């Protein structure tokens, strides 16, 4: 059914429809709200997927612990709160331009203005057999769900496409414990971003991670395999067998709706738009990857955001236009740095000259492309080390004149990568390309009184996109504060005019054993706060390994450390016994089950290979731990910033692929470092072979077995900002491995900031990984023996904090819900679900209250 759209009247708002609810579409909605356009328009949004807008840039995080909610953009009620009608899972099938209608599978909707934000779709090469079972694309959360399900019964996977998205997909397959290969038609990986030298180095580094790379291969057909589900036949009749295939051979603009309704599209696809993001129909705009501006499609989120801003400005009759965007990129693919700036190949600049630096030992490649007169940077390429990227990008983006010897910008230096001071950047310099935030905008925010980095990010949106500009933003912000006479205070808090690192040094050198003594010598004001008390307690525990339950430390702690348990949302606590290496006897399993049953606790096996018990009330904790310790358990320190778990596979004891006893090594490591207090939690893993079932390369300390010993990976983490661990040293024997871990951990503990993960600490180290290797492996600072001795002292002083507390009547007095009563807390109400207790929901509590009243 169709009907003619009526003209807006004073009694009816004009109707704005947006087709597409991806990253760019969501950002467009935010801009509409920011500009108050939602007050002027009645806005309806159609999203083809069932999920609300999510972060595709970090899509691979879905395989490392993030769910759809964690990846979702904005608050769940954003649209409802601003009167926007969000229709998820509703596909638009046609646009009737004459009647100004969009037609969905359910209904027709009139519009006055229409925005196309349909994005792109993955290109699947027209290969016979590309539609066989277990052939996928890598684009949506539903795609990833399908890949993960198929991987459960597969042993190998192939990615067709060796570009940016292809390598992201390969990393995902590798994370699913599949033997992974990448097939690329071009003669090298990432042919758009790197040249032959860079491609060779990139291939070498990726193959070292256990991913097979097949370049110059054109797949002719896919057929039944002999040993695996699929056989891929190449142009030379060579074959490759695999169980699962992911196509990631580029993207194409999702422009079918535009084509069908007669909008102008480009020869190779894309909806033609002008500087205002209007299409050939003045009532229709297009933004993001579906839009073709001056014969260019922009496949990055930053340009899409700029288009969204221009489109909103068009709708509110502003003057902002889209003038193109820089496609420079800084990436980390399978843990390998790759950077590309401007005309990185030098094929778009007449007379371009080049400087190249290649270090095959350190596996680093850098290239500068300069103008014919050598005065301007027109492009750059980086493989292996992106620490040079920010400085080179500023030279390129702002047209700054190069130094007399441009090669100095890419040559190695004892001082690390060269930096371009914040004062050298013009006001127009782009700091955040995702949100188009200039240095001038940062200066204006400081001028207006902003003195907090978090507030600056919230106000300007800088560093809230991909996060690649974080270091530069901080540098410019602090420079602007200092230039205005505002002292940039790096003190721990108002009570100590020292950093955590400086406090650690004072405590260690002066042998300070208590917070009171430290405050008397080096503090000021009242006796501490919620920042310095836990930080000092952690340092004291790290230095002297005094139990956190000692009377001198208890007043410094938060709730979790005070009660040696994590408080949960309903006021109960979790109980987490240590299960070293994930190895446990049947008797101990029975003991945990008996305790859980006796105290009616919820039980859950965690990703760290241990069993958590939830729902214990405060007064029950000593009784529960008495029974667990009698059964041979110790505290798992889940409540503290300390060593948590050492995950392991079964190793060569059971597994036919194992080359070392990973369980024995995991037990050794966990028993050595248990109880070690640190600036943040520490997670370890030991894998018995390069199949990496223990996921060691996502841990603070990861150990992977080789035929000749152990490879050590450092400074990785999962969580909100996952970071791939970096290969530190190879083929260590058992003794050398522990010696190096001793040094590494103690150096981290003495130099890191408070609540700083090893990954962030590593990123902030001047000199980067090479500096850390020099300190730990080569003992460049002469600290090796001292670090080892400090660790040995900590190991020798270990005692189970719960075992100690149970022997001390004074310590046990704190485990009371009521000071003068041993009753349970009557306000803690549980419900049952899946035969286990859980916290009652508000509506259940309310219903119970009504029942009691009546």
């Amino acid at each position: 059914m169709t009907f003619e759209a009526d003209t807006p009247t004073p009694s009816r708002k004009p109707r704005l429809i947006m087709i597409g609810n991806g990253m760019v579409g969501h950002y467009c909605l935010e801009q509409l709200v920011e500009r108050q356009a939602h007050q002027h328009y009645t806005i309806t949004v159609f999203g083809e997927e069932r999920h609300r807008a999510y972060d595709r840039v970090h899509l691979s995080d879905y395989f490392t612990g993030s769910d759809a909610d964690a990846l979702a953009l904005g608050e769940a009620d954003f649209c409802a709160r601003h009167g926007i009608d969000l229709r998820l899972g509703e596909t638009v099938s046609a646009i009737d331009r004459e009647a100004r209608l969009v037609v969905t599978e359910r209904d027709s909707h009139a519009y006055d203005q229409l925005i196309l934000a349909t994005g792109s779709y993955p290109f699947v090469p027209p290969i016979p057999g590309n539609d066989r079972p277990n052939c996928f694309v890598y684009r949506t959360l539903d795609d990833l769900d399908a890949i993960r399900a198929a991987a459960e019964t597969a042993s190998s996977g192939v990615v067709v496409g060796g570009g940016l998205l292809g390598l992201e997909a390969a990393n995902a397959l590798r994370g699913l414990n599949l033997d992974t290969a990448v097939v690329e038609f071009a003669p090298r990986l990432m042919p758009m971003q790197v040249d032959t030298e860079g491609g060779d180095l990139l291939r070498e580094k990726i193959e070292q991670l256990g991913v097979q790379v097949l370049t110059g291969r054109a797949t002719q057909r896919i057929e039944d395999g002999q040993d695996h589900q699929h056989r891929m036949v190449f142009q030379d009749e060579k074959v490759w067998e695999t169980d699962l295939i992911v196509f990631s051979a580029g993207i194409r603009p999702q422009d079918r709706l535009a084509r069908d309704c007669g909008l102008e599209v480009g020869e190779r696809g894309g909806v033609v738009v002008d500087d205002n993001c209007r299409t050939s129909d003045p009532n229709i705009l297009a933004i993001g990857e579906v839009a073709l501006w001056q014969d260019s499609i922009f496949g990055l989120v930053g340009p899409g955001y700029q288009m969204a801003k221009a489109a909103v400005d068009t709708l509110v009759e502003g003057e902002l236009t889209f003038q193109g965007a820089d496609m420079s990129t800084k990436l980390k693919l399978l843990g390998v740095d790759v950077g590309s700036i401007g005309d990185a190949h030098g094929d778009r600049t007449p007379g371009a000259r080049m400087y190249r630096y290649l270090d095959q030992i350190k596996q680093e490649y850098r290239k500068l492309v300069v103008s014919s007169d050598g005065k301007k940077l027109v492009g750059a390429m980086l493989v292996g080390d992106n620490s040079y990227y920010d400085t080179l990008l500023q030279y390129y983006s702002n047209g700054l004149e190069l130094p007399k010897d441009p090669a100095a910008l890419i040559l190695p230096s004892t001082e690390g990568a060269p930096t371009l001071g914040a004062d050298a950047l013009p006001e127009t310099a782009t700091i955040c390309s995702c949100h188009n935030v200039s240095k001038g905008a940062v200066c204006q925010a400081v001028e207006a009184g902003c003195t907090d980095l978090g507030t600056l990010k919230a106000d300007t949106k800088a560093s809230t996109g991909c996060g690649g500009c974080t270091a530069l933003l901080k540098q410019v912000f602090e420079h602007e504060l200092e230039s205005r006479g505002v002292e940039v205070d790096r003190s721990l808090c108002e009570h100590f005019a020292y950093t955590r690192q400086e406090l650690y040094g004072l405590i260690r050198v002066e042998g300070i054993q208590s917070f009171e003594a430290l405050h008397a010598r080096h503090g000021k004001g009242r006796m501490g706060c919620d920042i310095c008390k836990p930080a000092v307690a952690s340092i004291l525990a790290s230095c002297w390994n005094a139990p956190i339950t000692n009377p001198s430390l208890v007043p410094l702690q938060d709730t979790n450390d005070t009660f040696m348990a994590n408080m949960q949302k309903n006021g109960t606590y979790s109980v987490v016994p240590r299960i070293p290496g994930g190895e446990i006897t049947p008797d101990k399993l029975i003991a945990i089950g008996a305790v859980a049953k006796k105290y009616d606790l919820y039980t859950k096996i965690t990703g760290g290979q241990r069993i958590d018990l939830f729902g214990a009330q405060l007064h029950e904790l000593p009784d529960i731990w008495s029974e667990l310790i009698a059964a041979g358990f110790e505290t798992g320190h889940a409540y503290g910033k300390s060593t948590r778990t050492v995950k392991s596979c079964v190793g060569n004891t059971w597994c036919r692929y194992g080359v070392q006893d990973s369980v024995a090594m995991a037990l050794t490591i966990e028993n050595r470092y248990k109880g070690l207090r640190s600036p943040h939690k520490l997670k370890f893993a030991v894998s018995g072979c390069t199949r990496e079932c223990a996921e060691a390369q996502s841990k603070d300390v990861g150990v992977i077995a080789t035929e000749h010993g152990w490879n050590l990976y450092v400074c990785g983490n999962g969580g909100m900002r996952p970071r791939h661990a970096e290969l530190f040293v190879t083929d260590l024997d058992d003794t050398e491995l522990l010696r190096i871990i001793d040094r590494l951990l103690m150096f981290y503990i003495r130099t890191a900031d408070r609540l700083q993960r090893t990954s962030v600490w590593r990123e902030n180290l001047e000199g980067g990984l090479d500096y850390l290797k020099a300190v730990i492996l080569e003992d460049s600072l002469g600290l090796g023996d001292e670090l080892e001795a400090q660790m040995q002292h900590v190991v020798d002083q270990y005692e189970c904090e719960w075992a100690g507390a149970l022997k001390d009547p004074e310590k046990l007095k704190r485990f009371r819900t009521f000071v003068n009563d041993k009753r349970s807390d009557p306000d803690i109400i549980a419900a049952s679900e899946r035969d286990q207790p859980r916290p009652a929901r508000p509506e259940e509590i309310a219903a119970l209250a009504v029942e009691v009243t009546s």
Side-chain angles (χ1 to χ4, degrees):
M1 141 179 126
T2 62
F3 58 90
E4 292 192 6
D6 54 316
T7 303
T9 66
S11 62
R12 180 181 73 75
K13 294 180 183 179
R15 293 162 297 207
L16 173 63
I17 289 180
M18 183 160 66
I19 304 175
N21 185 45
M23 293 183 72
V24 172
H26 178 77
Y27 183 76
C28 187
L29 292 179
E30 291 182 331
Q31 292 300 303
L32 287 166
V33 170
E34 187 174 310
R35 301 294 297 274
Q36 299 299 309
H38 66 302
Q39 306 286 0
H40 176 69
Y41 287 97
T42 298
I43 303 175
T44 304
V45 181
F46 293 97
E48 190 174 31
E49 293 187 61
R50 56 191 173 92
H51 302 286
R52 61 191 178 96
Y54 54 88
D55 184 358
R56 290 190 197 274
V57 173
H58 297 100
L59 187 63
S60 294
D61 294 358
Y62 194 59
F63 283 141
T64 58
S66 295
D67 58 13
D69 288 336
L71 290 173
L73 299 174
E75 297 175 356
D77 64 346
F78 172 82
C79 288
R81 198 156 25 94
H82 295 101
I84 299 170
D85 183 11
L86 175 62
R87 295 171 174 249
L88 297 177
E90 188 168 352
T91 302
V92 174
S93 56
I95 300 170
D96 185 336
R97 289 170 53 201
E98 185 176 347
R100 270 191 267 165
L101 291 172
V102 297
V103 181
T104 75
E105 53 201 357
R106 304 173 191 170
D107 208 345
S108 296
H109 302 265
Y111 68 85
D112 297 296
Q113 295 287 322
L114 175 65
I115 300 176
L116 297 178
T118 50
S120 60
Y121 66 91
F123 170 67
V124 177
I127 303 167
N130 64 10
D131 57 350
R132 290 166 54 87
N134 281 10
C135 288
F136 306 97
V137 294
Y138 192 85
R139 187 65 175 169
T140 69
L141 291 177
D142 288 341
D143 293 333
L144 269 60
D145 282 334
I147 292 170
R148 178 157 47 193
E152 292 180 359
T153 56
S155 63
S156 61
V158 164
V159 176
V160 177
L164 163 61
L165 295 177
L167 295 184
E168 283 277 1
N171 193 36
L173 296 190
R174 184 167 160 270
L176 293 171
N177 296 321
L178 298 180
D179 289 334
T180 304
V182 175
V183 175
E184 168 58 43
F185 175 75
R188 62 181 181 276
L189 295 173
M190 295 189 70
M192 301 298 292
Q193 286 82 17
V194 301
D195 58 17
T196 301
E197 290 87 349
D200 289 345
L201 182 59
L202 180 61
R203 175 184 188 136
E204 183 180 336
K205 291 176 77 72
I206 287 176
E207 286 184 334
Q208 286 176 350
L209 297 172
V211 176
Q212 295 275 347
V213 176
L214 293 81
T215 54
R217 298 294 178 92
T219 307
Q220 301 299 300
R221 62 186 183 275
I222 304 170
E223 57 192 26
D224 288 338
Q226 290 186 343
D227 301 318
H228 298 271
Q229 183 167 353
H230 306 295
R231 172 186 286 172
M232 304 174 68
V233 183
F234 303 120
Q235 76 275 23
D236 55 5
E237 292 301 315
K238 291 183 178 178
V239 300
W240 188 274
E241 292 203 355
T242 184
D243 297 315
L244 182 154
I245 297 175
V246 176
F247 292 102
S248 188
I251 56 174
R252 299 291 186 270
Q254 187 71 272
D255 58 9
R256 182 189 60 80
L257 290 172
R259 289 178 183 274
D260 290 350
C261 72
L263 288 177
E264 183 183 356
V265 296
E267 184 179 342
R268 301 183 63 184
V271 184
V272 175
V273 298
D274 60 16
D275 293 353
N276 298 107
C277 293
R278 287 202 185 277
T279 68
S280 55
D281 183 329
N283 297 311
I284 302 178
L285 298 88
I287 57 177
E289 292 172 326
V290 73
L292 180 71
W293 180 84
Q294 295 190 7
D295 293 324
S296 294
I297 295 286
F298 297 89
L300 298 177
V301 69
Y305 286 170
Q306 294 177 39
M307 284 185 177
K309 277 190 171 183
V312 171
D313 224 54
T314 298
L315 292 173
V316 299
E317 299 181 354
E319 298 181 356
L320 180 68
T321 59
F322 180 72
Q323 294 298 316
D326 179 28
M327 295 294 284
S328 300
T329 53
K330 178 172 64 172
L331 312 161
K332 186 178 284 290
L333 303 165
L334 290 97
V336 180
D337 282 348
V338 179
S340 177
I341 296 174
D343 185 10
H345 292 282
D347 53 7
R348 303 194 305 269
T349 306
R353 298 173 180 270
M354 301 180 192
Y355 297 85
R356 288 186 175 91
Y357 171 77
L358 175 64
D359 185 334
Q360 292 183 321
I361 303 300
K362 293 184 178 180
Q363 295 185 306
E364 295 176 3
Y365 174 68
R366 297 185 279 277
K367 181 171 86 171
L368 287 186
V369 184
V370 303
S371 57
S372 57
D373 60 6
K375 293 182 177 180
K376 302 290 183 181
L377 181 68
V378 298
M381 188 180 296
L382 303 168
V383 178
D385 182 2
N386 271 343
S387 62
Y388 294 75
Y389 181 89
D390 288 345
T391 295
L392 296 176
L393 181 63
Q394 293 306 320
Y395 273 105
Y396 167 74
S397 299
N398 300 297
L400 302 178
E401 186 163 326
L402 290 167
K404 182 175 289 188
D405 181 13
L409 294 175
I410 59 172
L411 291 175
S413 165
T414 55
E415 299 176 358
T419 58
L420 188 64
D423 56 340
L425 299 177
E427 295 281 300
T428 56
T430 299
I431 304 301
C432 174
S433 59
C434 285
H435 294 285
N436 201 26
V437 180
S438 67
K439 177 186 173 183
V442 176
C443 296
Q444 289 174 13
V446 174
E447 193 68 41
C450 179
T451 58
D452 176 72
L453 185 60
T455 302
L456 177 71
K457 291 181 178 181
D459 290 347
T460 65
K461 301 290 187 184
S463 190
T464 62
C466 71
C469 63
T470 302
L472 181 60
L473 177 68
K474 184 174 185 290
Q475 178 190 350
V476 171
F477 179 59
E478 292 184 348
H479 174 268
E480 291 305 313
L481 288 175
E482 290 173 339
S483 68
R484 288 164 172 76
V486 179
E487 183 178 355
V488 179
D489 188 2
R490 297 177 176 86
S491 300
L492 182 69
C493 68
E494 62 188 277
H495 305 109
F496 292 98
Y498 302 93
T499 63
R500 181 197 175 277
Q501 182 177 352
E502 291 167 338
L503 283 179
Y504 181 95
L506 292 171
I507 290 171
R508 174 69 72 177
V509 171
E510 299 179 18
I512 296 173
Q513 300 278 343
S514 69
F515 182 86
E516 291 76 14
L518 179 68
H519 188 271
R521 296 188 202 180
H522 303 288
K524 56 184 178 181
R526 65 184 179 87
M527 284 290 286
C529 63
D530 291 340
I531 294 175
C532 61
K533 284 182 175 179
V536 171
S538 174
I539 295 172
L540 291 170
S542 296
C543 287
W544 318 121
N545 208 14
I548 211 73
T549 53
N550 274 13
S552 63
L553 298 183
V554 168
L556 311 180
Q557 298 304 323
D558 60 17
T559 300
N560 291 346
D561 267 325
T562 299
F563 299 118
M564 296 181 291
N566 284 330
M567 177 181 277
Q568 304 303 313
K569 62 189 290 184
N570 66 338
T572 61
Y573 293 84
S574 62
V575 174
V576 186
R578 186 171 296 286
I579 302 177
E583 183 180 72
I584 188 167
T585 65
D587 285 342
K588 285 190 173 182
L589 276 174
I590 291 169
I592 288 179
V595 167
K597 194 168 184 178
K598 178 177 179 179
Y599 295 94
D600 195 23
L601 303 177
Y602 172 85
T603 57
K604 175 77 170 64
I605 297 175
T606 73
Q609 296 182 338
R610 55 186 182 183
I611 301 172
D612 288 9
L613 311 175
F614 292 84
Q617 294 205 26
L618 183 61
H619 68 281
E620 295 175 322
L621 290 174
D623 294 334
I624 291 170
W625 274 107
S626 291
E627 295 188 33
L628 289 173
I629 288 172
F633 289 102
E634 294 179 317
T635 176
H637 290 94
Y639 46 81
K641 303 302 183 190
S642 58
T643 297
R644 292 288 181 84
T645 59
V646 183
K647 190 174 180 180
S648 72
C649 63
V650 296
N652 64 0
T653 305
W654 291 95
C655 179
R656 68 183 189 272
Y657 298 107
V659 294
Q660 301 286 352
D661 189 347
S662 54
V663 177
M665 179 52 70
L667 290 169
T668 299
I669 289 175
E670 188 154 357
N671 286 321
R672 181 168 183 78
Y673 302 117
K674 61 187 179 185
L676 177 66
R677 292 278 170 165
S678 56
H680 212 293
K681 60 188 174 185
L682 293 170
K683 294 187 177 183
F684 303 67
V686 184
S687 285
C689 72
T690 55
R691 293 172 73 87
E692 246 284 73
C693 293
E695 301 168 336
Q697 292 173 80
S698 63
K699 307 300 182 190
D700 298 279
V701 176
V703 179
I704 300 178
T706 72
E707 296 284 354
H708 308 291
W710 306 98
N711 286 354
L712 176 62
Y713 290 78
V714 300
C715 302
N717 68 258
M720 292 180 66
R721 275 194 64 209
R723 184 181 191 276
H724 201 286
E726 296 171 290
L727 181 61
F728 197 61
V729 62
T730 61
D731 296 333
L732 298 169
D733 61 30
D734 292 7
T735 302
E736 275 293 289
L737 176 65
L738 295 177
R739 186 175 69 87
I740 290 171
I741 296 176
D742 282 358
R743 290 184 177 188
L744 175 76
L745 293 178
M746 288 311 300
F747 189 62
Y748 160 64
I749 287 169
R750 73 189 291 172
T751 60
D753 204 352
R754 62 179 289 271
L755 301 180
Q756 189 175 54
R757 292 295 299 266
T758 58
S759 58
V760 182
W761 168 70
R762 150 66 186 91
E763 289 170 356
N764 290 344
L765 280 178
E766 293 186 13
L769 190 66
D770 288 342
Y771 169 74
L772 191 59
K773 286 182 177 180
V775 172
I776 304 302
L777 304 180
E778 302 166 18
D779 198 15
S780 61
L781 299 180
L783 294 173
D785 292 344
E786 181 181 336
L787 295 172
E788 292 172 37
Q790 290 170 359
M791 179 60 79
Q792 192 58 50
H793 174 80
V794 171
V795 172
D796 292 341
Q797 294 298 311
Y798 170 78
E799 69 169 282
C800 172
E801 291 168 349
W802 261 110
L806 291 173
K807 300 173 186 175
D808 189 334
E810 287 301 312
K811 292 178 180 178
L812 291 177
K813 287 181 180 179
R814 79 185 74 147
F815 297 98
R816 296 177 181 174
T817 303
F818 304 103
V819 174
N820 58 353
D821 198 329
K822 293 185 177 181
R823 283 184 306 149
S824 300
D825 186 343
D827 292 329
I828 295 176
I829 301 173
S832 180
E833 189 171 290
R834 298 186 297 276
D835 298 325
Q836 290 217 78
R838 62 157 172 79
R841 301 186 179 100
E843 62 270 21
E844 293 171 327
I845 296 174
L848 182 61
V850 170
E851 183 180 324
V852 171
T853 303
S854 51

